[in-house]
Amino acid sequence: MKAVELMRNYDPKDFEERIYSEWKEKGEFSPSSSDKEHFSVVMPPPNVTGILHMGHALNNSLQDIIVRYQRMHGRPTLWVPGTDHAGIATQNVVERQLQKEGLRRQDLGREKFIERTWSVKEKHHDIIARQLEKMGCSCDWKHERFTMDEGLSRAVREAFVTLYERGLIYKGMYLVNYCPKCGTALADDEVEYENVPGKLYDVRYPYADGSGYITVATTRPETMFGDVAVAVHPDDERYKSVVGKELSLPLTDKKIPIITDRFVDMEFGTGMVKITPAHDPNDWECGKRHNLEAINLLNPDGTLNGNVPEKYRGMKAEEARALVVEDLEKGGYLVKITDHAHDVGHCYRCHTTVEPYLSEQWFVSMKSLADKALKAWKDGDIVFYPRRWENTYQHWMENIRDWCISRQLWWGHRIPVWYCQDCGKMIVSRTDPDECPECHSHSLKQDSDVLDTWFSSWLWPFSTLGWPDKTPDLEKFFPTNTLVSAYDIIFFWISRMIMASEEFLGKAPFRDIVITGLVRDIQGRKMSKSLGNGIDPIEVIDKYGADAMKFTLCYLAAQGQDVMIDMDSFRLGSRFANKIWNAARYLLMNIEGRNLVEIKREKLNVMDRWIYSRFNDSAREIADAMANYRFNESAQAIYSFFWNDFCDWYIEASKDRLFHGSDEEKDLQVSILMDILEKSMRLMHPFLSFITEEIYQKLPNHKGDVIASSYPEYDPLLDDKEAMTLVSSLQEASRVVRAARASLQIPPEKKLKVVVRIGKDNAASSFMNDELSLLSSFMNASEVIIDMEGKEDVKGALPASGIGFEAFVFVREAIDIESEIKKLEGEIEKNEKLLEGSVKKLSNEAFVSHAKPEAVEKEKSKKAEFEDKIEKAKAHIELLKSF
RNA sequence: GGAGGAUUAGCUCAGCGGGAGAGCGCUUGCCUUACAAGCAAGAUGUCACAAGUUCAAUCCUUGUAUCCUCCACCA
């Protein structure tokens, strides 16, 4: 064989891009036609708003590892990539763009606006796809989907209409969370609560008959125009007598009653609550119980409407509040203002304060869906990794609330509902109707709202495979096997996918749900755009390579723990990749003129058997870890096998036979090295995909591409306990001698005689006796004697003991003990004098109190240094005297 | 108010009933026929605190403390 030119240094830029396109061209990412059991994963679709962040990198790295691992097990494997249209988020991006041009979306009109959004989508999509490719994701691009694709849009309509037909979708006036900035309703879980300092205003409401007043507490005095009652707790003795009396609402001439309701907390404030059904969820519920009117005070843009006195109309809530408070004070109604921190809802997209807003919206009735999803979990159809997330899942499912799915946006799936302009008939249809079934009018108008983004994402595991059609893909790859996602979208997405799958296909969409941690910065903060603390995966790849990134993330991704990283963290993976590169380079350099021979078990020596056994062990560890999605354990197994066992011990041990053996021995040695290297590339490929492919291609014994090769399986026949024990004894002996040398700082060029006293009954004794030259090189010894009879003269040698043996290192040859001791004594003397001076200085009050603090500190550290040197020298002398 | 997580070496974190570990950093010595992005040796810890279970506890139970996350509520 000829040596392989791999002389250049490790630089992922030399091959990562090239290899990716080769894989892609060869169709390696498409499922094979093997008749083994299918394996499929759907990629959580990134939003087309932005570029991928570190969280995506983590997610997709883990998916890639799983997918490559399964593919190498011969299963027809499909990983479906795609993107999400991300309604609000994307619309916001485009609106911000327009804003810069001084335009509003209304200036463009719906059609033009959507056109423009599509082009933004295209642009971001291309960036995202490019990023996934750079990461090395082995997803099947032929199966790529977008949530607003034609096919997926059809799935959305099918889902909507089906649910409607099953009576699970309804429309009505409800109090919903409303973002005035985005101009749309939000689902409950799209609201983020934040504790903010605010004020609590105590306001007097006089009795209508002028017989005095009561006091209510409120954080939002400006909503008082929507008050329809004041409530007290029915058991509240203080107010029993006033229940039923009428109050006169300040600043208006409105009369409202005092009622009782159990939701009132007697302890809070005065125990009296004003009821404003249109602007508070509790009041809304209370209002329904008492049949009270809900008076909406807001326009869709968040300003006050015609239901408030004229002077406040058109004002924003905050402005109006200030003015109302002022007016209340003037009228003598304001009792006091106290500081009051409370949680205020904000839009999860634009962070504007969310208003409870009375409006007509579409809802999905969730109870029956949740029951099925809960049953799927109880039946064991889905399993969370780690298990603890099942509590969260269960809790959410058991406390499910109806899902507001309409959004007053333009970007998204139009609600498939039409209204006849002539007879008012509502038409819910899978296809666009062109005439009213009732009056045959052609004047139909589609509902102007779009659906919540998650209404398309919750269909993702099957809509991407062709549903509602019964496609071969759906047949083969549904249900999918594993879903990898972060915990922050368990409610938004994971739970709903399970509900949709159960509802529409009667099956869970996947069995294993792998919940990853969140990627945080080194201070533990969530990476975010606004903090500017994010790390761009592409920068990481440019600096360290995709392999380094994937391996590092995998190594750090312990069972759902958050991962804290900075740019430097990726050096871990980078150094490992470099190590692999150099090991391969070295081995390939030394195959010149050698032949690959058959590796017969009986020809293997103990070291060979050991490395095979260790390799086998690692394969088992990885299989165990992967079966439980313990990625960090797999990564560690690989790391320690390749670096610590293969490089540090086996390759080093092989040098003797490789450089000094017979031709036959050399051929065997090279063959074994190539065999282990080839197996290692396969073992490591899911975790370090590019470098293993690059090296694999250059191996004399490779077959095809490593991506399409088979994964090394654990083979109990290769287990070799004997070799493991023997080699660990040899390693132990080597370490003991190395440590002894190091403690005396004997330079490497001084080679010393070593006697290893080890009983005949110890199994390692004859093995070591057979491997004298190996031991010599590990111990850097001139001569190694294995003393089984205990007869060797070890006088004057430095003893170093290990488990089951003693080693004696003849250091006399390397050092002159007498003069060494003298030298050390001289050093002690010198340092003692220095120490004395130092101590004197430091005990001098004047010095300590007057000298610069730095000088005192410096003196103190000098003193410590002298003491340390003396101590060390003394110990050194003791050591020398001891032999 | 409910649920969950964290607390182990200077830093970031694995581990989890019988040996306290990794990477980085640090100290010392080495350019030893791949790798200084390396090799070899080394130091560093009442495994948060307290009680209990056990022959045995970093690991199990209970409680305490500190930090974090999620859910619900807050007039």
Side-chain angles (χ1 to χ4, degrees), chain A residues 343-400:
Chain A
D343 289 343
V344 176
H346 293 87
C347 171
Y348 85 129
R349 276 301 160 203
C350 72
H351 229 70
T352 305
T353 302
V354 164
E355 293 285 346
Y357 183 62
L358 190 61
S359 52
E360 188 163 50
Q361 305 287 348
W362 288 93
F363 293 83
V364 177
S365 166
M366 299 297 271
K367 184 75 176 74
S368 66
L369 293 167
D371 286 345
K372 289 182 192 169
L374 206 48
K375 184 172 182 298
W377 168 64
K378 283 183 178 152
D379 291 350
D381 296 343
I382 50 174
V383 180
F384 283 80
Y385 294 85
R387 292 300 280 253
R388 71 180 128 90
W389 289 109
E390 292 178 8
N391 291 333
T392 310
Y393 175 81
Q394 183 188 3
H395 183 262
W396 193 72
M397 285 298 182
E398 285 174 352
N399 294 279
I400 197 87

Side-chain angles (χ1 to χ4, degrees), chain A residues 602-614:
Chain A
E602 59 272 20
K603 285 193 177 167
L604 299 183
N605 67 21
V606 175
M607 286 303 289
D608 303 332
R609 280 159 47 206
W610 169 77
I611 196 67
Y612 275 110
S613 187
R614 276 295 302 128

Side-chain angles (χ1 to χ4, degrees), chain A residues 694-764:
Chain A
E694 175 70 0
I695 292 169
Y696 193 78
Q697 299 293 328
K698 297 193 158 45
L699 300 180
N701 52 339
H702 86 276
K703 294 182 204 83
D705 297 344
V706 73
I707 188 177
S709 66
S710 64
Y711 202 75
E713 297 288 345
Y714 169 71
D715 176 2
L717 291 176
L718 284 176
D719 257 349
D720 196 328
K721 289 230 166 52
E722 188 198 15
M724 298 290 257
T725 316
L726 295 178
V727 171
S728 76
S729 295
L730 180 133
Q731 289 174 328
E732 163 100 345
S734 305
R735 282 198 199 98
V736 160
V737 173
R738 285 172 183 171
R741 290 183 56 115
S743 77
L744 288 172
Q745 300 192 359
I746 297 164
E749 62 269 22
K750 288 276 181 198
K751 298 200 186 297
L752 310 177
K753 177 179 155 184
V754 176
V755 168
V756 180
R757 185 170 284 169
I758 178 166
K760 247 191 182 151
D761 48 331
N762 188 323

Side-chain angles (χ1 to χ4, degrees), chain A residues 305-574:
Chain A
N305 67 16
N307 287 331
V308 305
E310 195 154 356
K311 68 183 290 198
Y312 308 109
R313 287 178 198 165
M315 291 179 131
K316 289 213 165 141
E318 284 81 28
E319 294 171 59
R321 184 178 310 159
L323 191 57
V324 167
V325 169
E326 206 182 303
D327 293 341
L328 284 171
E329 183 146 34
K330 276 185 200 153
Y333 298 110
L334 189 65
V335 181
K336 63 174 179 182
I337 303 175
T338 43
D339 288 331
H340 179 69
H342 59 152
D343 289 343
V344 176
H346 293 87
C347 171
Y348 85 129
R349 276 301 160 203
C350 72
H351 229 70
T352 305
T353 302
V354 164
E355 293 285 346
Y357 183 62
L358 190 61
S359 52
E360 188 163 50
Q361 305 287 348
W362 288 93
F363 293 83
V364 177
S365 166
M366 299 297 271
K367 184 75 176 74
S368 66
L369 293 167
D371 286 345
K372 289 182 192 169
L374 206 48
K375 184 172 182 298
W377 168 64
K378 283 183 178 152
D379 291 350
D381 296 343
I382 50 174
V383 180
F384 283 80
Y385 294 85
R387 292 300 280 253
R388 71 180 128 90
W389 289 109
E390 292 178 8
N391 291 333
T392 310
Y393 175 81
Q394 183 188 3
H395 183 262
W396 193 72
M397 285 298 182
E398 285 174 352
N399 294 279
I400 197 87
R401 296 207 265 169
D402 283 356
W403 176 17
C404 173
I405 50 169
S406 45
R407 296 288 180 276
Q408 290 69 52
L409 302 173
W410 286 354
W411 176 244
H413 301 279
R414 276 293 271 281
I415 290 180
V417 173
W418 288 261
Y419 306 95
C420 176
Q421 298 302 93
D422 291 326
C423 70
K425 164 93 182 160
M426 186 172 89
I427 306 150
V428 179
S429 168
R430 288 175 175 81
T431 52
D432 291 12
D434 54 1
E435 85 171 28
C436 174
E438 202 74 17
C439 70
H440 304 288
S441 159
H442 291 280
S443 177
L444 303 177
K445 197 173 164 218
Q446 187 170 8
D447 195 301
S448 61
D449 287 357
V450 300
L451 288 161
D452 181 6
T453 297
W454 300 103
F455 196 89
S456 56
S457 344
W458 77 328
L459 312 174
W460 190 247
F462 45 92
S463 65
T464 53
L465 296 173
W467 187 86
D469 293 337
K470 285 189 177 128
T471 61
D473 272 351
L474 191 65
E475 188 69 26
K476 268 192 219 165
F477 296 110
F478 186 88
T480 66
N481 299 75
T482 303
L483 181 87
V484 182
S485 174
Y487 56 73
D488 53 353
I489 50 173
I490 291 181
F491 305 128
F492 282 126
W493 193 48
I494 300 176
S495 306
R496 288 190 187 139
M497 280 192 287
I498 297 165
M499 293 191 282
S501 272
E502 289 288 344
E503 184 67 26
F504 299 120
L505 290 119
K507 284 181 201 167
F510 27 71
R511 183 190 147 78
D512 295 345
I513 303 165
V514 179
I515 303 292
T516 69
L518 261 32
V519 181
R520 296 173 180 278
D521 72 5
I522 213 79
Q523 291 167 44
R525 299 174 306 179
K526 220 165 159 173
M527 286 190 178
S528 74
K529 251 189 210 159
S530 52
L531 279 172
N533 61 345
I535 301 176
D536 181 356
I538 296 306
E539 271 178 47
V540 176
I541 293 169
D542 285 343
K543 192 164 178 191
Y544 296 114
D547 285 335
M549 182 170 80
K550 183 160 72 170
F551 185 79
T552 304
L553 289 171
C554 177
Y555 191 94
L556 297 175
Q559 280 281 301
Q561 273 324 109
D562 288 352
V563 280
M564 296 202 212
I565 46 163
D566 62 7
M567 201 58 175
D568 280 351
S569 308
F570 295 98
R571 286 171 58 200
L572 168 69
S574 174

Side-chain angles (χ1 to χ4, degrees), chain A residues 10-23:
Chain A
Y10 171 60
D11 184 355
K13 288 197 183 67
D14 289 346
F15 53 85
E16 290 192 349
E17 302 247 353
R18 189 195 75 231
I19 286 176
Y20 194 86
S21 22
E22 283 171 15
W23 283 335

